[in-house]
Amino acid sequence: MSNNSFVLKGSIAFSENSKDIITYSNGYLVCEKGICKGAFLELPEKYKALPLIDYGNKLIVPGMTDLHVHAPQYTFRGIGMDEELLEWLSTYTFPEEAKYADMEYARKAYSYFSEDLRRCFTTRAVVFGTLHNEATIELMDQLEKTGVITYVGKVNMDRNGGEGLEEADAAESLQATEDWLEAIAGRYKNTMPILTPRFIPSCSDELMKGLGRLSAEKGLRIQSHLSENPSEVAWVKELVPESTCYANAYELFDTMGTVDCPTIMAHCVYSDDLEMEILKKHGAYIAHCADSNMNLTSGIAPIRKFLDAGINIGLGTDVAAGSSMNMIKTMLISLQASKMYYRLVDADVKPLSFEEMFYLATMGGGSYFGKVGSFKDGYDFDAVVIDDSKMYSMRDMSVRERVERMVYNDADAIITDKYVRGSKIYSRSE
Amino acid sequence: MSNNSFVLKGSIAFSENSKDIITYSNGYLVCEKGICKGAFLELPEKYKALPLIDYGNKLIVPGMTDLHVHAPQYTFRGIGMDEELLEWLSTYTFPEEAKYADMEYARKAYSYFSEDLRRCFTTRAVVFGTLHNEATIELMDQLEKTGVITYVGKVNMDRNGGEGLEEADAAESLQATEDWLEAIAGRYKNTMPILTPRFIPSCSDELMKGLGRLSAEKGLRIQSHLSENPSEVAWVKELVPESTCYANAYELFDTMGTVDCPTIMAHCVYSDDLEMEILKKHGAYIAHCADSNMNLTSGIAPIRKFLDAGINIGLGTDVAAGSSMNMIKTMLISLQASKMYYRLVDADVKPLSFEEMFYLATMGGGSYFGKVGSFKDGYDFDAVVIDDSKMYSMRDMSVRERVERMVYNDADAIITDKYVRGSKIYSRSE
């Protein structure tokens, strides 16, 4: 398999589009030089010479894309969850991130993050680091070794960070960004830089504008946060009084991106029609982080509306406001959130179907990386092989039923092998 | 340890009341003849002769009470979750439960349920069977062997069950109930019968009244469902037009119980002030099933209001509308539900604190079984020992923080040992 060409056999499931999951029981999945050539009930003659790995009855699904995760927060996940966003940031998050000035600390903490990322359902991720260049390069070095394909951002923040987590001013922050980009130029195959203004309350107007210029000059993508919490939304309105809405504030700084260089905006819980228009116009991606949004009492984003409007959207775990990097647990919580939005907020906004949620976790977010997140011909071969035999059943469940059951019982879905672009990057038996 | 007297050492956490979690790092927990004698920082002299098991840094928390779980539904958990209650019952649940007429089927399916119940955080459970006497006795036999202490109900339903899952009439259902009670009289130490009218749509007025009489005559407790889904609530109003509300319908049939013989009502999503008054007056227990209520798009029950009103309340997994028997996952989802009720429904109803949720899962539901769910002096010694070392951290987390982190990361909280009334009923090393 040195040229990443092989055939997998097993119980295959993948999205064809946002409405349909295609399944094959005892199906064949062909990978040629890291690219998927499709799934088949009968293996076509021309692929019969390829090495075949028979996974028996195990599930094989596309690798998942985590569009929003904070690496430095991983080691304190699951605590302080009675707080809301701004209190949680100042009490838990900022003091923790300040510790990444210490490289010994960063090295160890990022090794926990990187190793667990390698072992989970995620094959692509878009990652926040901290404002520290050295620690962020360490994170990128470690991520490169995992085989997971990522965008990683050195965070920019020149105000409201509190003690030990603030750059002096826009000039210093922009210079640090240029230094970071220079230091990593040509260094990685799978790890790409992304500009990362934390959010408007953390970045002066000058810094935001500087990052907008840098993005345009270098063709660099941007990630940030948008309309997560009511107090945050109100604060941004004060900080950028000339903006018509939070998304427009980003627009004013030229950080909302373009269709060819799309910005990721995490959350969008409070995005209304005006914000939706702006997101759509710029080809931005929404990183929907339902676990985080429920944990920090932020609210529930109207995902059905975003989907219907044709806005790009995927899922994010948002560790550590989301408490786990497990994308299938994130799917479950996102499904529950969608059902509650329908029941409690607006009965005209129907819950997402399981098919739609599976699509978001795979193809939806995957499209940020290109042809990623499906087993259709021509897609990058990202795959996760899952042993669900611990979930005893009294009937022969269909592959479709098993995929749904796995999402609702994440603890009993055991990853056997994980492939990224045809390379096996994790095996339970290793 | 033949007389169930011993000392455990470890990181101990338990509720003192609904507001406070008491913790001991390197603490001692004393069990004498199955009863907890308290937790201590220094082991009192008089207990030093008892055998001591040193669990090192492992967490030790009280066993949890699952106030509402359907045993026959376990083997199809996690599928059909795009449906609402009534469609889900007729499409998935009732056809599955009908299969328990076949004893071979029942024996195998219940073995999966019983074994997984033995291995999870639950030390006490209140369980629905099916309407079949023989299968229900098989379930009780199996549960008795696990060591978990349970109430189990043969289900009553003489209408609207569909093909193969309906008793002919009230007389047949009541006779079957008497036969069942006679067959199990004196048979178990840890497994108690509970009268189980499924819910009003499944039980004729005559059947309900008969069960009310039986409860009073024999001092038997009752469990049922209340105000789960809008369509169900409307249906009950049609079926019992003279009732002032759903809870009042149960009252009219004398099935709402008494303080000394309390009824458990699952869900109460749509219980208003009038229903709350009725529940309180009768000393009824609410089984709060947030996972189920989100999965079936039922809604969110106002738990804060119930707590403030002094109504008895605990948590239920409600498998298979809830998809897992994992009580700590249920705690997480219940916390998220409580936060969303505050954010989306009523800003005057504050979210439950982590302390309050931990209390509900342990002491709240435990009180249904007596002095259960705490490590205070005089409580039954139900304990779960947990290895959370897979969750790496960069700091020395407090025991309180580790308990919260465990709830938000259930997949990485590994049960090492489980005790019920001082007997070890499960060990990972077995």
Side-chain angles (χ1 to χ4, degrees), chain A residues 74-84 92 96 99-100 104-106 108-109 112 116 229-230 270 290-300 323-326 329 332-333 335-337 339-345 351-355 390-395 397 400-402 404-412, chain B residues 74-84 92 96 99-100 104-106 108-109 112 116 229-230 270 290-300 323-326 329 332-333 335-337 339-345 351-355 390-395 397 400-402 404-412:
Chain A
Y74 186 61
T75 59
F76 76 95
R77 67 195 184 283
I79 63 169
M81 299 270 83
D82 283 359
E83 304 293 337
E84 286 196 34
Y92 292 92
E96 178 68 21
K99 295 181 186 164
Y100 286 74
E104 201 179 327
Y105 190 91
K108 191 169 169 196
Y112 296 151
D116 281 0
N229 172 287
Y270 293 96
D291 185 27
S292 161
N293 298 154
M294 300 234 251
N295 287 339
L296 295 185
T297 320
S298 301
I300 298 178
S323 58
S324 150
M325 281 204 286
N326 188 336
K329 186 176 180 186
L332 158 65
I333 292 174
L335 281 161
Q336 293 185 333
K339 291 169 183 178
M340 289 306 99
Y341 191 90
Y342 160 76
R343 175 62 74 203
L344 304 177
V345 180
L352 263 63
S353 67
F354 182 79
E355 276 73 8
K390 232 180 103 185
M391 286 180 270
Y392 302 115
S393 176
M394 294 298 293
R395 59 175 97 178
M397 285 204 176
R400 163 66 179 74
E401 285 177 326
R402 287 169 59 200
E404 183 177 354
R405 183 180 63 167
M406 160 187 100
V407 166
Y408 281 86
N409 291 277
D410 63 282
D412 294 326
Chain B
Y74 186 61
T75 59
F76 77 94
R77 66 195 184 282
I79 63 169
M81 300 271 82
D82 283 358
E83 305 292 338
E84 286 196 34
Y92 292 92
E96 178 68 21
K99 294 181 186 164
Y100 286 74
E104 201 180 327
Y105 190 92
K108 192 171 169 197
Y112 295 150
D116 281 0
N229 173 287
Y270 293 97
D291 185 27
S292 162
N293 299 154
M294 299 233 251
N295 287 338
L296 296 184
T297 321
S298 301
I300 299 177
S323 59
S324 150
M325 282 205 284
N326 189 336
K329 187 176 180 186
L332 158 65
I333 292 174
L335 282 162
Q336 293 185 333
K339 291 169 182 176
M340 288 305 99
Y341 191 91
Y342 160 75
R343 175 62 73 203
L344 304 178
V345 181
L352 263 62
S353 67
F354 182 78
E355 276 73 6
K390 232 180 103 184
M391 286 181 270
Y392 302 115
S393 177
M394 293 299 292
R395 59 174 97 175
M397 285 205 176
R400 163 65 180 75
E401 286 176 325
R402 287 169 60 199
E404 182 177 354
R405 183 180 63 167
M406 160 186 98
V407 165
Y408 281 86
N409 292 276
D410 62 282
D412 294 326

Side-chain angles (χ1 to χ4, degrees), chain B residues 75-235:
Chain B
T75 59
F76 77 94
R77 66 195 184 282
I79 63 169
M81 300 271 82
D82 283 358
E83 305 292 338
E84 286 196 34
L85 175 65
L86 300 177
E87 296 70 31
W88 178 79
L89 284 173
S90 57
T91 310
Y92 292 92
T93 311
F94 290 170
E96 178 68 21
E97 289 196 14
K99 294 181 186 164
Y100 286 74
D102 174 354
M103 278 305 295
E104 201 180 327
Y105 190 92
R107 201 168 294 121
K108 192 171 169 197
Y110 281 148
S111 75
Y112 295 150
F113 172 79
S114 300
E115 180 56 14
D116 281 0
L117 184 65
R118 188 173 74 88
R119 290 167 176 268
C120 73
F121 288 86
T122 304
T123 50
R124 312 270 171 153
V126 187
V127 184
F128 272 58
T130 62
L131 58 75
H132 312 94
N133 278 15
E134 208 183 342
T136 304
I137 294 169
E138 171 67 26
L139 170 62
M140 296 175 86
D141 285 354
Q142 291 195 22
L143 287 174
E144 180 75 10
K145 284 188 200 128
T146 64
V148 177
I149 297 177
T150 61
Y151 283 89
V152 179
K154 165 242 174 318
V155 172
N156 297 95
M157 46 195 304
D158 67 346
R159 64 179 177 187
N160 298 317
E163 206 179 333
L165 197 72
E166 218 174 83
E167 294 163 306
D169 53 26
E172 184 183 297
S173 182
L174 291 167
Q175 186 58 51
T177 308
E178 301 248 25
D179 294 346
W180 165 61
L181 292 168
E182 199 182 308
I184 59 159
R187 195 173 169 118
Y188 309 114
K189 202 177 109 227
N190 290 328
T191 316
M192 293 152 287
I194 182 167
L195 297 178
T196 306
R198 182 170 212 119
F199 65 157
I200 283 175
S202 298
C203 301
S204 65
D205 292 8
E206 198 187 335
L207 176 53
M208 291 302 295
K209 283 178 195 158
L211 291 169
R213 273 195 306 274
L214 199 59
S215 167
E217 273 169 33
K218 297 188 185 265
L220 284 168
R221 296 182 180 191
I222 293 173
Q223 64 178 342
S224 197
H225 298 90
L226 178 63
S227 296
E228 177 176 1
N229 173 287
S231 310
E232 171 217 18
V233 172
W235 194 10

Side-chain angles (χ1 to χ4, degrees), chain B residues 63-66 314-315 327 331 356-366:
Chain B
M64 296 177 186
T65 293
D66 187 343
L315 304 183
M327 282 292 290
M331 284 174 70
E356 289 171 316
M357 195 56 74
F358 189 75
Y359 163 86
L360 289 185
T362 55
M363 285 180 87

Side-chain angles (χ1 to χ4, degrees), chain B residues 373-388:
Chain B
S374 179
F375 291 144
K376 293 198 287 190
D377 186 9
Y379 273 64
D380 281 10
F381 194 91
D382 290 11
V384 183
V385 183
I386 299 140
D387 178 358
D388 66 347

Side-chain angles (χ1 to χ4, degrees), chain A residues 140-285:
Chain A
M140 296 176 86
D141 286 353
Q142 291 196 21
L143 286 174
E144 179 75 9
K145 285 190 198 126
T146 64
V148 177
I149 297 177
T150 60
Y151 284 88
V152 178
K154 166 243 173 318
V155 172
N156 296 95
M157 45 196 303
D158 67 346
R159 63 179 178 188
N160 297 316
E163 206 180 333
L165 197 72
E166 219 174 83
E167 292 163 307
D169 52 27
E172 184 184 298
S173 182
L174 290 167
Q175 186 58 52
T177 308
E178 302 248 25
D179 294 345
W180 165 62
L181 291 168
E182 199 183 307
I184 59 159
R187 194 174 171 115
Y188 309 114
K189 201 177 108 226
N190 291 327
T191 315
M192 294 152 285
I194 182 167
L195 297 178
T196 306
R198 181 167 214 121
F199 65 158
I200 284 175
S202 298
C203 301
S204 65
D205 294 6
E206 197 187 336
L207 176 54
M208 290 301 297
K209 283 178 196 157
L211 291 169
R213 274 195 307 272
L214 200 58
S215 167
E217 274 169 34
K218 299 187 184 267
L220 283 167
R221 297 183 180 191
I222 294 173
Q223 63 178 343
S224 197
H225 298 90
L226 179 61
S227 296
E228 175 176 1
N229 172 287
S231 310
E232 171 217 19
V233 173
W235 193 10
V236 170
K237 183 70 198 160
E238 278 173 38
L239 291 167
V240 192
E242 67 276 26
S243 61
T244 55
C245 63
Y246 196 160
N248 175 247
Y250 283 112
E251 237 184 347
L252 295 175
F253 303 129
D254 292 322
T255 55
M256 197 38 106
T258 64
V259 171
D260 295 327
C261 187
T263 290
I264 296 179
M265 284 296 172
H267 306 304
C268 300
V269 172
Y270 293 96
S271 294
D272 57 9
D273 288 349
L274 178 58
E275 284 207 346
M276 282 168 57
E277 242 175 70
I278 294 170
L279 289 160
K280 170 126 201 215
K281 188 172 80 182
H282 290 266
Y285 274 72

Side-chain angles (χ1 to χ4, degrees), chain A residues 1 10 12 29-30 70-71 84 87-88 119 160 170 224 243 291 326 338 357 363 386 389-390 393 399 401 404 419 425:
Chain A
M1 302 209 295
I12 298 163
L29 200 55
V30 177
H70 291 264
E84 286 196 34
E87 296 71 31
W88 178 80
R119 291 166 176 267
N160 297 316
S224 197
S243 61
D291 185 27
N326 188 336
S338 164
M357 195 56 73
M363 286 180 87
I386 300 141
S389 61
K390 232 180 103 185
S393 176
V399 177
E401 285 177 326
E404 183 177 354
Y419 297 83
I425 71 160

